[in-house]
């Protein structure tokens, strides 16, 4: 199907992208119910792990890949003191942060003020394993803990459907200050900037403590079309075209988070609402920006632009194939 005209792209959005999203939403209902039941029982064993999961959504930075049968949830941790941001933010995204503990609830008696990300993950995994030994969630046929994963990953089975679920420990609002120079230009609006900076910066555990701007990114995405633009629709089309409707599996090299970040950079570069008021114009701007990043194989993190989100070890052949796939949509 050619996707060059406004009508063709709208049809693709209505008849393929939105139907896929509706099917995913139906699955999400029973997945969320299962995760809540598991975490309720985890919380009974150790109250420092919240019983209320936070659904990360499709565009979170720490999603492993983007497929309809995968879901990601944050699990908030308690008993941890808020800290000042480290001096080097750029390095902090890539390297391990050292987290100070509330000593009232020590995680490690031998080092009471040191919170090891590996220790937290191993302990969390062990509690989840104990919970599942006692009883699988009541609304599924089977639930297994997958071995050798970066985070705690479950496989849920129901009515012949198999779903992977990542559970990622997170420390909410661990850093309340925004010391980085942002915004760089007059985008987004002043009111949006104020809202984002109040949200704070979180820290997630992927066997290393890393900064997360997921609340700010989510809010920015939610408000991005307040002028009536078609930015989010263009993002949905590009995500589906590359990650669900492609003959080549690109999920190991690019994710919806990369595409969302590309959209933020494109919006910062093209700030006029008129550039985004049709599906054609919006999608073309997004495609051109992505092609620019892929050509250099350098996609800066939106809030920490010194960090390249693309894996420089990626095979040149798959890079070229991805670039051609993006260009074919232009």
């Amino acid at each position: 199907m050619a996707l060059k005209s406004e009508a063709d792209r709208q049809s693709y959005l209505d008849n393929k992208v939105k139907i896929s999203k509706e099917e995913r939403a139906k699955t999400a209902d029973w997945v969320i119910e299962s995760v809540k039941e598991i975490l309720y029982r985890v919380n009974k064993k150790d109250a420092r792990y919240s019983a209320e999961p936070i659904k990360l959504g499709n565009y979170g930075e720490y999603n492993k890949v983007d497929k309809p049968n995968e879901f990601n949830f944050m699990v908030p941790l308690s008993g941890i003191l808020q800290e000042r941001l480290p001096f080097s933010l750029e390095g902090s995204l890539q390297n391990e942060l050292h987290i100070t503990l509330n000593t009232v609830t020590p995680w490690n008696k031998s080092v009471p003020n040191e919170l090891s990300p590996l220790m937290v993950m191993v302990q969390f995994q062990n509690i989840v394993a104990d919970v599942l030994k006692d009883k699988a969630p009541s609304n599924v046929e089977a639930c297994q803990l997958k071995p050798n994963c970066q985070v705690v990953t479950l496989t849920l089975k129901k009515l012949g459907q198999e779903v992977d679920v990542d559970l990622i420990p997170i420390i909410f609002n661990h850093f309340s200050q925004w010391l980085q120079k942002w915004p760089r230009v007059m985008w987004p609006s002043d009111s949006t900037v104020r809202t984002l900076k109040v949200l704070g910066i979180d820290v997630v555990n992927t066997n290393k403590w890393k900064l997360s701007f997921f609340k700010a990114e989510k809010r920015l995405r939610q408000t991005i079309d307040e002028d009536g633009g078609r930015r989010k629709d263009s993002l949905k089309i590009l995500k589906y075209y590359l990650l669900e409707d492609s003959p080549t599996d690109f999920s190991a090299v690019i994710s919806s988070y990369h595409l969302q970040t590309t959209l933020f950079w494109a919006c910062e570069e093209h700030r006029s609402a008129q550039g985004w008021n049709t599906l054609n114009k919006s999608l073309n701007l997004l495609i051109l920006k992505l092609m620019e990043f892929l050509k250099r194989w350098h996609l800066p993190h939106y809030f920490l632009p010194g960090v390249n989100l693309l894996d420089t070890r990626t095979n040149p052949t798959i890079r070229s194939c991805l670039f051609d796939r993006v260009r074919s949509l232009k």
Side-chain angles (χ1 to χ4, degrees):
M1 178 182 181
L3 294 175
K4 306 296 184 182
S5 70
E6 183 87 8
D8 286 342
R9 289 171 168 180
Q10 185 65 52
S11 176
Y12 188 79
L13 178 67
D14 293 337
N15 298 318
K16 297 195 77 169
V17 179
K18 289 183 178 179
I19 289 175
S20 174
K21 187 177 180 180
E22 290 169 2
E23 291 173 351
R24 183 182 176 89
K26 292 176 184 176
T27 303
D29 289 341
W30 65 262
V31 169
I32 292 170
E33 186 180 338
S34 298
V35 170
K36 284 184 175 181
E37 183 178 338
I38 292 168
L39 291 182
Y40 173 80
R41 286 152 57 189
V42 167
N43 177 260
K44 289 296 183 183
K45 290 179 178 287
D46 191 333
R48 292 173 296 188
Y49 298 96
S50 174
E52 289 296 323
I54 308 297
K55 190 171 182 295
L56 186 55
N58 295 335
Y59 296 100
E61 180 175 359
Y62 298 99
N63 285 5
K64 52 183 182 180
V65 290
D66 294 273
K67 293 181 180 177
N69 65 334
E70 292 177 346
F71 293 83
N72 302 267
F73 294 88
M74 298 292 198
V75 181
L77 303 178
S78 63
I80 300 162
L81 296 174
Q82 195 174 71
E83 296 186 69
R84 294 181 63 83
L85 275 170
F87 180 76
S88 174
L89 283 174
E90 304 290 336
S92 298
L93 188 74
Q94 297 174 312
N95 302 317
E96 184 175 349
L97 293 167
H98 293 282
I99 304 300
T100 301
L101 289 177
N102 183 335
T103 54
V104 175
T105 55
W107 291 69
N108 186 346
K109 293 180 181 179
S110 60
V111 190
N113 288 322
E114 180 70 25
L115 183 58
S116 161
L118 182 59
M119 179 185 64
V120 171
M121 192 67 78
V122 169
Q123 184 186 37
F124 181 44
Q125 186 168 16
N126 289 340
I127 296 173
V128 172
D130 287 344
V131 162
L132 295 180
K133 281 181 186 177
D134 295 339
K135 181 185 175 185
S138 56
N139 68 330
V140 298
E141 297 158 10
C143 179
Q144 296 176 325
L145 189 62
K146 293 184 74 171
N148 304 318
C149 294
Q150 189 178 28
V151 296
V152 174
T153 302
L154 308 173
T155 299
L156 304 176
K157 296 179 182 179
K158 182 175 182 177
L159 301 176
Q161 188 176 11
E162 192 170 293
V163 173
D164 280 353
V165 176
D166 281 353
L167 301 177
I168 308 168
I170 183 170
I171 305 170
F172 274 142
N173 299 324
H174 194 60
F175 300 113
S176 60
Q177 300 165 300
W178 280 57
L179 299 183
Q180 61 269 51
K181 295 179 180 178
W182 185 86
R184 291 168 285 269
V185 295
M186 297 299 291
W187 188 88
S189 67
D190 290 343
S191 61
T192 299
V193 170
R194 286 193 296 271
T195 300
L196 265 55
K197 290 197 172 186
V198 167
L199 293 175
I201 301 172
D202 307 313
V203 176
V204 298
N205 185 349
T206 59
N207 285 324
K208 286 186 177 181
W209 295 118
K210 292 188 176 182
L211 297 177
S212 172
F213 295 83
F214 95 93
K215 294 199 302 294
E217 290 160 344
K218 181 179 180 180
R219 179 62 180 168
L220 188 54
R221 188 176 69 250
Q222 288 173 336
T223 60
I224 207 165
D225 282 329
E226 287 183 334
D227 58 5
R230 302 294 304 273
R231 299 171 186 82
K232 283 192 286 189
D233 284 341
S234 66
L235 180 61
K236 291 173 187 175
I237 288 175
L238 188 57
K239 174 182 179 292
Y240 187 82
Y241 186 75
L242 294 180
L243 298 172
E244 296 184 45
D245 198 27
S246 172
T248 304
D249 184 1
F250 297 118
S251 61
V253 295
I254 195 166
S255 69
S256 55
Y257 185 77
H258 293 102
L259 304 181
Q260 173 185 265
T261 302
T262 301
L263 177 61
F264 292 160
W265 283 113
C267 290
E268 183 172 299
E269 184 175 324
H270 303 279
R271 298 184 289 280
S272 171
Q274 288 205 340
W276 301 93
N277 61 7
T278 70
L279 195 54
N280 255 4
K281 288 192 285 186
S282 294
L283 187 55
N284 287 341
L285 286 176
L286 182 55
I287 290 169
L288 287 172
K289 195 63 184 175
L290 181 58
M291 287 173 63
E292 174 191 327
F293 289 140
L294 294 180
K295 192 171 184 178
R296 296 185 288 127
W297 204 251
H298 186 90
L299 171 56
H301 188 284
Y302 184 65
F303 290 110
L304 302 174
V307 175
N308 181 12
L309 295 175
L310 295 175
D311 187 347
T312 55
R313 298 168 295 179
T314 303
N315 186 295
T317 302
I318 195 71
R319 293 188 194 187
S320 176
C321 189
L322 175 58
F323 184 86
D324 290 342
R325 178 69 176 172
V326 174
R327 183 169 54 186
S328 71
L329 192 54
K330 185 173 177 296

